[in-house]
Amino acid sequence: MNFYLGIDFGTSGVRGVVINQEGCTQAEIKYAWPSEGVFDLVTTWETALFWLLRQVPEPLRREIEAIAINGTSSTVLLTDAAGKPVDAPLLYNDARGSVVLEQLRDIAPPHHNVLSATSSLAKLLWMMGQPSFKKARYFLHQADWLGFLLHGYLGISDYHNALKLGYDVEQLKYPAWLEKLQLPIQLPKVLTPGTPIAKLRPEIATQFNFPNDCLVCAGTTDSIAAFLASGAKSPGEAVTSLGSTLVVKLLSRTRVEDSRYGIYSHRLGNLWLTGGASNTGGAVLKHFFSAAELERLSGEIDVTQTSGLDYYPLLRPGDRFPINDPDLPPRLEPRPDDPVAFLHGLLEGMARIEGRGYDLLQEMGADTLTRVYTAGGGAGNSAWSGIREGVLGVSVVSSVHTEAAFGSALLAMRGVDGFD
Ligand code: ADP
């Protein structure tokens, strides 16, 4: 039997999933980040990675054919020539790069996805101004560095992680405007996610009882790994994530980009994963209701009726997608006395924003929406699914799997084959 190990380095911890050749889960492993105290990030990552390898049940471990890792998008670090980090990594949401944005605007084409304080390229330019840069030789994403710990080769990435570094995922090369800078650092060689890079280092294979020919593959980002896990695979299929915010991703044969709306496309085989994120979502629900209330009150909603309310639920003014207006006011009035009616209005308002998001992607040229998978805290809310089905006009189903680690395990098994 051959098994495949996917490892997800997420925002709350590390997860591992082992699948067999039929894509059935054989084992799940979880490791939560320490909740308190200052800790050394790279040591914590390394400890978690090897702890996780040890937790894979021994009979499975002996037959793991391939491993793939996903990290959080735009979590980056610099290492020396031996792969030792020269400074603390910058996490996905670190906005210190805001000070180089002016400089970046002179370098990158207008509206390019690197023009954000948290992009990998903004982080690299910021790092270049730090004293530790003198010792740096390689610039890596979190998943690249963790992969290096397993296979031993430095300077390798994948085209999902490299998108916000400025890599041209259509031409599959670094663009001329980036090459022209002649950055004094080794940028990663970029592979298709899931491509085998090398065998697991022999000393690790021996120590942990993995096969000698176990392969370590190019990884991906956390949100793409979650998409891979969902079961969506044909153009027109989409995944909505109903977490703290509302994120939509629509698989398409056409690439769409519009930085005004924060819309960009990841490459997935020969297809494009188009998408955008709204500030509406579960955080607004959480502000008004407890989890128990959400469950109880949702069950009382008559989804065959409309709420009669016209909300744009936000916690504070401003949204980017599907309406690009930094001052967009939250619309939460009038508020009925009946909490069921109020919740109905909120869920319906969010469903309309979701629908408008998919409309916008389609107006820009993405494939026609055919089916929506759902992930995140709101995915299990059947009343909401009913409301969304009415608004979206297509079937709304739960994601087959929601674990990003499961998506990475699929990537280890078959790469991006199937997305063509
Ligand atoms: P994130 O990872 O973005 O923090 P999660 O996917 O864990 O988010 O989802 C958390 C969100 O799910 C919360 O903001 C909460 O309001 C929402 N949520 C939890 N239970 C329900 C429910 N029954 N119906 C709708 N939303 C829910």
Side-chain angles (χ1 to χ4, degrees), residues 7-54:
I7 304 176
D8 161 40
F9 273 73
T11 48
S12 53
V14 184
R15 286 164 189 237
V17 167
V18 179
I19 61 169
N20 65 11
Q21 280 161 302
E22 280 77 52
C24 299
T25 301
Q26 307 295 301
E28 281 186 87
I29 304 136
K30 290 181 186 168
Y31 178 98
W33 297 130
S35 55
E36 280 180 14
V38 183
F39 49 90
D40 170 6
L41 273 179
V42 286
T43 308
T44 312
W45 294 351
E46 187 167 356
T47 307
L49 177 64
F50 288 103
W51 177 88
L52 189 136
L53 292 186
R54 212 179 286 284

Side-chain angles (χ1 to χ4, degrees), residues 98-121:
S98 59
V99 294
V100 301
L101 270 182
E102 275 309 308
Q103 186 190 345
L104 253 185
R105 281 199 190 93
D106 293 337
I107 299 170
H111 310 304
H112 198 281
N113 68 51
V114 297
L115 295 171
S116 136
T118 56
S119 77
S120 302
L121 187 57

Side-chain angles (χ1 to χ4, degrees), residues 303 351 384-394 396:
V303 299
W384 200 359
S385 300
I387 293 169
R388 293 170 54 225
E389 216 153 54
V391 172
L392 301 175
V394 296
V396 169

Side-chain angles (χ1 to χ4, degrees), residues 124-391:
L124 171 57
L125 295 189
W126 180 83
M127 286 164 150
M128 282 168 56
Q130 305 308 304
S132 55
F133 189 75
K134 283 198 290 294
K135 288 179 280 173
R137 173 83 186 279
Y138 291 96
F139 175 80
L140 297 173
H141 305 91
Q142 180 187 33
D144 312 339
W145 186 72
L146 291 161
F148 151 74
L149 294 182
L150 298 185
H151 54 61
Y153 290 89
L154 279 161
I156 301 175
S157 189
D158 62 86
Y159 63 53
H160 292 154
N161 272 297
L163 182 78
K164 291 184 183 170
L165 180 56
Y167 186 76
D168 183 336
V169 295
E170 195 149 0
Q171 301 295 325
L172 297 177
K173 59 180 191 189
Y174 284 103
W177 60 263
L178 190 52
E179 296 279 16
K180 215 170 66 190
L181 294 180
Q182 301 201 326
L183 296 172
I185 190 86
Q186 179 79 43
L187 292 181
K189 177 178 173 203
V190 180
L191 302 179
T192 299
T195 307
I197 295 173
K199 289 180 193 162
L200 189 61
R201 281 165 50 206
E203 57 274 32
I204 299 177
T206 307
Q207 187 189 348
F208 292 88
N209 272 330
F210 280 83
N212 292 329
D213 56 357
C214 174
L215 292 168
V216 183
C217 302
T220 182
T221 63
D222 52 349
S223 61
I224 299 215
F227 181 89
L228 296 174
S230 71
K233 51 186 175 304
S234 307
E237 291 189 322
V239 177
T240 299
S241 173
L242 300 174
S244 306
T245 57
L246 186 149
V247 184
V248 305
K249 288 196 166 74
L250 170 59
L251 203 52
S252 169
R253 283 166 295 188
T254 322
R255 180 181 191 177
V256 297
E257 306 272 325
D258 193 327
S259 65
R260 289 174 304 162
Y261 296 99
I263 294 175
Y264 59 88
S265 300
H266 269 288
R267 184 174 186 146
L268 204 45
N270 293 325
L271 298 179
W272 295 97
L273 192 50
T274 68
S278 166
N279 291 337
T280 196
V284 185
L285 299 175
K286 204 170 170 179
H287 179 77
F288 292 107
F289 302 102
S290 68
E293 284 170 334
L294 279 176
E295 196 155 336
R296 181 171 54 80
L297 299 172
S298 298
E300 292 179 38
I301 295 173
D302 178 359
V303 299
T304 64
Q305 305 292 317
T306 54
S307 70
L309 298 163
D310 181 25
Y311 291 162
Y312 198 105
L314 293 172
L315 283 180
R316 55 193 72 81
D319 207 358
R320 187 154 180 213
F321 174 89
I323 297 177
N324 174 27
D325 178 358
D327 303 315
L328 186 74
R331 211 164 55 233
L332 292 163
E333 300 286 340
R335 180 165 173 176
D337 294 334
D338 177 9
V340 176
F342 180 50
L343 178 59
H344 192 176
L346 290 173
L347 298 180
E348 206 177 76
M350 291 184 199
R352 276 196 296 265
I353 294 170
E354 181 185 0
R356 208 162 160 172
Y358 283 123
D359 286 346
L360 185 59
L361 294 175
Q362 291 166 89
E363 282 158 23
M364 289 179 171
D367 272 285
T368 305
L369 185 70
T370 56
R371 176 201 286 254
V372 178
Y373 292 84
T374 317
N381 187 326
S382 54
W384 200 359
S385 300
I387 293 169
R388 293 170 54 225
E389 216 153 54
V391 172

